[in-house]
Amino acid sequence: MSSEQVEQVGLPVRRSRDVPMLVERARAGDPRAVARLITLVESGDEVLPRVAAALAPYAGQAQVVGLTGSPGVGKSTTTNELVRALRARGRRVGVLAIDPSSPFTGGAILGDRVRMQDHATDSGVYIRSMSSRGHLGGLSAATPQAVRVLEGAGCDVVLVETVGVGQAEVEVASLADTTLVLLAPGMGDAIQAVKAGILEIADVFVVNKADRDGADATVRDIQGMIALGERGPGEWRPQVVRTIAARGEGIDEVAAAIGKHRDWLERHGELRRRREARAAAEIEAIALGALRDRIGSLRDGTELPTLAAKVAEGALDPYAAADELLSQLGS
């Protein structure tokens, strides 16, 4: 169905649930169709399996780059400038910017729509702010499927900017082909450079605000941490790049480091391994979600309350009760 036919039959894109039409128009570069597909993904609409099936042929066609780091290091500014550098190279770019949501109201300030106004009129750029909706790990639960939407829409590169994360929130590494960890002088002492967690997931370290005092020390700390790591022959050694993103300085070097890492991934078969691991995590998340829904439905019956009463009385141990509950799910 053409866009003219869609409007004639009264099915504007913003309310449509016609998956084939939406995918066709997204492939043609219609940002409204892309927005509608991501909305269907975020809302967990019942047509989501059909959306996933329609997008499956386009999987793996985009380079997925994750950007993470503590609040205040300049992730959004760096993302904005990286979009500019990639567009200068003729790349079509999608951006998923995740913002934290309130644990009380569920609301979120989607600030990247304000910060990235430079690209608002560029048809080669699609920017979507997403609320984390309480999901831990720096992403939204809908992010993997939203990446698939942008791949289907023909993006060459998808940039995923996480919530300002802590040291253990490293989920972006399981989603991205290349992970950038941003740091800035004055955000912590040398001990931070050897702590486990977020610093271990970096393929490229970006020391932003490099015009500040302490930038040299930050670079030395990171390089020292990298030197302590054990690597076999041919293994990737994380790059360290200095930037002043607010002035656009060093961004071309970041883009070059991303390209260098992509070449390494392809030469060593690591790109395929990472994407298979990503698909496995995605399948597992969907299966666990379905399982949680089924367990939730048991709460409306008598089986779970009965088992809970037996465990509380000491008549049954919780492992035996869980085995019995699982047997009910399988029946």
Side-chain angles (χ1 to χ4, degrees):
M1 181 183 294
S2 69
S3 59
E4 291 80 5
Q5 290 173 314
V6 170
E7 298 299 337
Q8 287 170 5
V9 298
L11 292 174
V13 166
R14 63 188 176 87
R15 294 198 302 271
S16 176
R17 297 168 80 247
D18 182 342
V19 173
M21 179 272 292
L22 288 171
V23 171
E24 178 184 351
R25 292 183 64 165
R27 293 287 295 168
D30 184 344
R32 294 174 302 168
V34 177
R36 180 57 180 159
L37 286 169
I38 295 180
T39 296
L40 293 174
V41 165
E42 284 195 280
S43 64
D45 193 278
E46 63 182 16
V47 302
L48 183 52
R50 300 211 302 272
V51 172
L55 294 172
Y58 313 111
Q61 295 186 10
Q63 181 180 9
V64 182
V65 178
L67 296 93
T68 189
S70 301
V73 297
K75 293 189 300 297
S76 296
T77 305
T78 301
T79 300
N80 187 61
E81 292 304 315
L82 194 52
V83 170
R84 195 187 312 279
L86 291 168
R87 290 295 293 143
R89 291 165 169 78
R91 313 297 294 279
R92 185 174 174 81
V93 183
V95 178
L96 296 174
I98 318 301
D99 280 299
S101 57
S102 167
F104 303 105
T105 66
I109 297 174
L110 304 180
D112 291 282
R113 293 185 181 181
V114 177
R115 295 189 185 108
M116 299 185 190
Q117 285 300 305
D118 293 352
H119 309 292
T121 59
D122 187 344
S123 61
V125 179
Y126 182 87
I127 299 171
R128 175 74 172 230
S129 294
M130 301 174 69
S131 167
S132 64
R133 302 193 180 190
H135 185 76
L136 300 178
L139 300 178
S140 160
T143 306
Q145 289 299 322
V147 169
R148 290 184 178 275
V149 171
L150 293 182
E151 285 185 314
C155 290
D156 301 305
V157 181
V158 177
L159 303 177
V160 180
E161 179 194 326
T162 74
V163 171
V165 298
Q167 290 167 324
E169 295 175 314
V170 295
E171 188 177 348
V172 68
S174 66
L175 177 70
D177 301 324
T178 300
T179 301
L180 275 57
V181 171
L182 277 68
L183 307 103
M187 301 298 289
D189 57 25
I191 297 299
Q192 301 296 331
V194 295
K195 284 187 176 180
I198 189 172
L199 295 183
E200 293 182 320
I201 68 172
D203 298 305
V204 179
F205 288 102
V206 178
V207 179
N208 192 32
K209 306 181 183 181
D211 53 339
R212 289 186 176 181
D213 291 341
D216 291 342
T218 301
V219 171
R220 283 196 304 270
D221 292 339
I222 296 301
Q223 289 175 334
M225 183 201 70
I226 294 171
L228 291 174
E230 295 183 4
R231 292 178 182 80
E235 288 191 29
W236 175 255
R237 180 183 176 88
Q239 308 286 293
V240 183
V241 182
R242 299 172 186 245
T243 62
I244 307 173
R247 299 205 296 253
E249 296 179 14
I251 300 301
D252 286 338
E253 287 78 3
V254 174
I258 293 171
K260 185 176 179 181
H261 184 246
R262 172 62 179 251
D263 292 342
W264 179 86
L265 290 172
E266 292 179 337
R267 285 199 312 273
H268 291 81
E270 182 69 9
L271 184 62
R272 181 180 179 87
R273 190 202 67 78
R274 290 193 180 196
R275 290 184 171 179
E276 288 178 352
R278 182 196 311 170
E282 195 174 352
I283 294 166
E284 182 181 16
I286 293 170
L288 288 174
L291 185 59
R292 280 192 294 269
D293 289 343
R294 294 189 64 184
I295 290 175
S297 68
L298 289 178
R299 291 180 181 275
D300 299 330
T302 61
E303 186 64 26
L304 186 56
T306 300
L307 290 171
K310 289 181 179 179
V311 171
E313 294 168 358
L316 191 67
D317 70 84
Y319 286 93
D323 286 341
E324 192 168 334
L325 181 63
L326 289 172
S327 69
Q328 293 292 323
L329 290 175
S331 62

